[in-house]
């Protein structure tokens, strides 16, 4: 049973915010309150539905004592009794602390790992998979940096994915993805195991990270494509080095001004991610979640071509639909990962 006092405090805060929004406010205050109102509204709607069902259940229980109403009351009572646990679970989920970054867009980095050319080809498969998934969600993707090998595989790719709730959906994709298949470079038909790493970073907002101009070094250079062919004929590519951390970010679009902006956004996202990781490390003794750890050295998923299966090792979920998954159908994995993370956090809070 959820404490009524806890629910009432949330309702009172929502009513305060709602009333405050009808007063004279500055634009900044209105935006801040509007965001809190939107976050609280769904929570409060769920709480009120739960409270109303509890009232109906109490009324039906009281009617059971009336011989004339008992038969009708029993139908209603047991129907409500059956529905209440699901609504109570919804309330508990709504009460879980929100990750402030969940609503944000994200920057995804994919790198070939062990396995040489085959790892790069697999990294390219992952890039295509996530691009198709993003398109299916109605999100916008734009390539920030892409480095290919001679076979057209991806040595490294950095992509911006913009839309509502991007980070919430993709944050559990960070980690080592492993592939088992016969490489195109293998003449003997033997199955090889290769890997690629994925990192998903929430986009940083201006208030999150402030970079001191003296802490960065900006270099321009001429970018080149596969095989050494020049992509640009001018020194428009940009490399930014963050001196205190040693982080290096590059961007090689056609416009030098655009490259500076893109590279700074990526740098801010990486610095913001470092801050979030540091906070997670502080909490690590209290929380050992395999789903939400964000440990990018952890092997999280295996794509087995001979058996046509994909297995997520954190939640022990295996799907025999390899082609569909690589085609961008990640919904089952993402839903299961979100549910597992919610279950772990509910258990931690004793809800």
């Amino acid at each position: 049973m959820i404490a009524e006092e806890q629910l009432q405090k949330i309702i009172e805060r929502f009513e305060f915010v709602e009333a405050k929004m009808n007063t004279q406010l500055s634009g900044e205050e209105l935006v801040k309150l509007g965001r809190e109102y939107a976050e609280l509204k769904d929570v409060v709607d769920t709480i009120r539905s739960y409270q109303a069902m509890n009232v109906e259940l109490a009324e039906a229980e009281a009617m059971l004592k009336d011989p004339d109403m008992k038969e009708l009351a029993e139908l209603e009572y047991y129907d409500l009794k059956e529905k209440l646990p699901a609504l109570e679970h919804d309330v508990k989920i709504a009460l879980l602390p929100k990750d402030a970054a969940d609503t944000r867009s994200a920057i995804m980095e994919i790198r070939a790992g062990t396995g040489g050319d085959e790892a790069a080809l697999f990294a390219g498969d992952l890039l295509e998979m996530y691009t198709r998934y993003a398109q299916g969600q109605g999100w916008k993707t734009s390539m920030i940096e892409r480095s290919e090998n001679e076979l057209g595989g991806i040595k490294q790719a950095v992509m911006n994915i913009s839309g509502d709730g991007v980070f919430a959906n993709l944050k559990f994709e960070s980690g080592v993805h492993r592939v088992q298949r016969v490489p195109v470079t293998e003449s003997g038909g033997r199955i090889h195991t290769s890997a690629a790493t994925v990192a998903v970073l929430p986009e940083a907002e201006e208030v999150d990270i402030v970079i001191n101009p003296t802490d960065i070094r900006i270099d321009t250079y001429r970018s080149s494509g596969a095989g050494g062919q020049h992509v640009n004929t001018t020194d428009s590519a940009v490399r930014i080095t963050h001196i205190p951390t040693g982080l290096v970010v590059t961007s090689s679009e056609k416009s030098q001004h655009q490259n500076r902006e893109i590279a700074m956004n990526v740098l801010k996202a990486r610095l913001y991610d470092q801050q979030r990781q540091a906070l997670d490390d502080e909490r690590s003794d209290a929380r050992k979640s395999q789903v939400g750890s964000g440990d990018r050295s952890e092997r999280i998923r295996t794509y087995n071509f001979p058996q046509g299966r994909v297995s997520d090792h954190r939640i022990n979920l295996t799907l025999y639909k390899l082609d569909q998954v690589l085609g961008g159908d990640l919904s089952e994995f993402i839903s299961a990962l979100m549910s597992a993370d919610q279950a772990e956090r509910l258990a931690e809070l004793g809800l």
Side-chain angles (χ1 to χ4, degrees), residues 10 13 16 54 137 140 168-169 185 194 199 253 268 272 289 298 327 338:
I10 294 171
R13 176 62 188 176
F16 170 79
N54 271 306
Q137 300 300 306
K140 181 182 177 183
N169 281 270
T185 55
S194 304
E253 295 297 313
K268 287 178 181 178
Y272 179 51
S289 165
E298 177 192 2
M338 285 181 164

Side-chain angles (χ1 to χ4, degrees), residues 93-137:
I93 296 297
L95 293 178
L96 286 174
K98 300 291 187 294
D99 184 339
D102 273 353
T103 59
R104 299 187 185 188
S105 298
I107 290 170
M108 175 174 281
E109 302 177 350
I110 300 173
R111 290 183 175 84
T114 55
D117 288 337
E118 167 62 11
L121 291 170
F122 176 53
D125 292 339
L126 292 179
L127 177 62
E128 180 68 18
M129 177 182 77
Y130 288 119
T131 300
R132 289 185 177 181
Y133 175 72
Q135 290 169 346
Q137 300 300 306

Side-chain angles (χ1 to χ4, degrees), residues 3-268:
E4 184 63 31
E5 182 182 350
Q6 182 184 7
L7 302 182
Q8 201 54 43
K9 283 182 179 178
I10 294 171
I11 292 173
E12 287 172 3
R13 176 62 188 176
F14 173 74
E15 290 174 344
F16 170 79
V17 171
E18 190 174 40
K20 187 78 173 173
M21 288 180 67
N22 292 320
T23 63
Q24 292 293 324
L25 298 170
S26 67
E28 188 177 336
E29 288 176 312
L30 190 60
V31 169
K32 186 177 179 181
L33 281 176
R35 189 176 297 159
E36 185 179 0
Y37 175 86
E39 289 174 356
L40 285 173
K41 189 176 187 310
D42 288 343
V43 178
V44 169
D45 286 347
T46 305
I47 289 173
R48 284 174 172 164
S49 296
Y50 171 71
Q51 289 176 327
M53 187 173 287
N54 271 306
V55 170
E56 291 176 39
L57 184 65
E59 290 173 349
E61 190 173 14
M63 287 168 61
L64 289 173
K65 299 174 184 177
D66 185 341
D68 297 330
M69 301 293 292
K70 185 176 180 180
E71 187 175 346
L72 181 64
E74 275 185 344
L75 290 172
E76 185 177 1
Y77 176 78
Y78 288 111
D79 181 54
L80 291 169
K81 196 81 171 173
E82 187 178 339
K83 291 178 179 176
L84 190 62
L87 193 51
E88 183 176 351
H89 178 73
D90 290 344
V91 172
K92 289 177 179 179
I93 296 297
L95 293 178
L96 286 174
K98 300 291 187 294
D99 184 339
D102 273 353
T103 59
R104 299 187 185 188
S105 298
I107 290 170
M108 175 174 281
E109 302 177 350
I110 300 173
R111 290 183 175 84
T114 55
D117 288 337
E118 167 62 11
L121 291 170
F122 176 53
D125 292 339
L126 292 179
L127 177 62
E128 180 68 18
M129 177 182 77
Y130 288 119
T131 300
R132 289 185 177 181
Y133 175 72
Q135 290 169 346
Q137 300 300 306
W139 298 333
K140 181 182 177 183
T141 62
S142 57
M143 193 59 60
I144 294 172
E145 191 71 20
R146 181 184 178 123
S147 174
E148 297 183 359
N149 68 0
E150 292 181 356
L151 295 177
I154 297 295
K155 292 191 286 186
Q156 174 181 318
V158 182
M159 174 171 62
N160 177 270
I161 307 174
S162 57
D164 187 36
V166 172
F167 185 68
N169 281 270
L170 293 178
K171 63 182 177 182
F172 299 124
E173 295 302 300
S174 291
V176 177
H177 295 243
R178 188 176 68 164
V179 64
Q180 295 172 329
R181 65 184 176 189
V182 178
V184 293
T185 55
E186 172 61 52
S187 58
R190 293 179 300 170
I191 296 171
H192 284 225
T193 298
S194 304
T197 60
V198 174
V200 182
L201 318 178
E203 270 197 333
E205 296 179 352
E206 290 297 324
V207 294
D208 297 324
I209 296 292
V210 177
I211 297 177
N212 189 327
T214 61
D215 285 344
I216 59 174
R217 184 178 70 247
I218 301 177
D219 301 307
T220 58
Y221 63 99
R222 184 171 298 176
S223 66
S224 59
Q229 292 180 340
H230 290 300
V231 174
N232 298 319
T233 56
T234 60
D235 293 340
S236 61
V238 169
R239 180 189 299 110
I240 298 180
T241 304
H242 187 248
I243 298 167
T245 61
L247 285 173
V248 178
V249 179
T250 61
S251 180
S252 53
E253 295 297 313
K254 292 182 179 178
S255 161
Q256 187 178 122
H257 176 75
Q258 184 183 17
N259 284 331
R260 282 176 181 251
E261 184 179 351
I262 290 171
M264 282 298 291
N265 286 340
V266 174
L267 177 59
K268 287 178 181 178

Side-chain angles (χ1 to χ4, degrees), residues 284-329:
S284 62
D285 289 338
R287 184 172 191 220
K288 296 293 185 182
S289 165
Q290 287 301 301
V291 178
S293 66
D295 182 356
R296 285 162 203 153
S297 64
E298 177 192 2
R299 187 192 70 189
I300 64 168
R301 198 174 292 151
T302 296
Y303 304 73
N304 184 291
F305 274 67
Q307 298 178 23
R309 63 174 167 84
V310 186
S311 301
D312 196 291
H313 308 293
R314 296 162 296 178
I315 52 176
N316 295 320
L317 174 62
T318 295
L319 300 178
Y320 287 87
K321 47 188 292 186
L322 176 66
D323 290 343
Q324 294 96 312
V325 170
L326 288 175
D329 184 4

